[in-house]
Amino acid sequence: MVSVAESGVVALRAVLWDMDGTLLESEQLWDVGMRALSLHLGGPMSERTRLATVGGPLDLSVWRTFDGLGLDPTPDEQVAAEAWLNAYMAELFAQGLPWRPGARDALGAVRDAGVPQVLVTNTGRQLCEVALDTLGREHFVYSVCGDEVAAGKPDPAPYRRAAELLGVDPAQCLAVEDSHTGAAAADAAGCAVLVVPSLVEVPVSPRRVFRDSLVGVSVADLRDVHASVGVCA
Ligand SMILES: [Mg+2]
């Protein structure tokens, strides 16, 4: 592992991509799925509950759905609801996943430039594998899924795991995120963050640079974003 102290320069060594809402329009599908789960469990989902579940780990989002309905699930009910949601989402994902604007070209440009890319998602491995059919596995040297780390975003574990797999310092990585939850995870891991909001507003922070979309984004732009944050390890 090359430490920042040894290299002396915090150069961009990798781009770490969030999936839902950043690369794919799948947050819209999660919106359908979360609302369907709420109805399945007993009633419509409030906007407050919906916003609290954007970008979060699946188990926590399911628990918040129960909680939003005033329900306190048993462990068996929680597990059954998670399985229901996973099966529902697998059907939606299998019907096809649209790209977010500019995301496909950005992935290709980074790959062509020889900068390693990792997919870092709270979505579980099973659904992630369906999504990788759309994304193209060839773009990523690794993928880190929500069910493969000790805690999902907003915990920094997924981003730390990605950096560890690459053998680089998180400060040498640029994370690309659309949600508060995801940006908080990347922030806490020590990455610079390019935020391209989708469903929810994301608060500003010294490590975050905002952009309306990925349309026209170049590798030079990503290097500039990373450099402008001036991450110090
Ligand atoms: Mg997201």
Side-chain angles (χ1 to χ4, degrees), residues 5-124:
E6 284 167 356
S7 70
V9 178
V10 186
L12 178 63
R13 295 285 301 275
V15 180
L16 312 180
W17 294 95
D18 170 52
M19 185 174 81
D20 296 298
T22 298
L23 289 173
L24 298 173
E25 288 286 11
S26 42
E27 277 300 356
Q28 316 294 339
L29 297 184
W30 280 106
D31 192 62
V32 172
M34 294 310 302
R35 291 179 191 282
L37 174 68
S38 187
L39 287 172
H40 172 69
L41 295 176
M45 176 173 266
S46 70
E47 287 311 302
R48 181 178 171 166
T49 301
R50 175 57 194 130
L51 289 176
T53 63
V54 173
L58 185 119
D59 55 352
L60 182 58
S61 295
V62 167
W63 184 85
R64 283 183 166 150
T65 305
F66 277 112
D67 191 56
L69 294 168
L71 301 171
D72 185 14
T74 64
D76 284 351
E77 288 169 339
Q78 169 79 23
V79 167
E82 290 175 18
W84 188 94
L85 181 60
N86 259 320
Y88 191 95
M89 293 309 299
E91 276 188 33
L92 289 183
F93 272 38
Q95 290 167 20
L97 292 164
W99 289 88
R100 288 275 284 157
R104 189 177 204 165
D105 288 345
L107 267 189
V110 175
R111 183 171 173 235
D112 290 347
V115 178
Q117 302 182 95
V118 180
L119 189 65
V120 183
T121 178
N122 264 354
T123 293

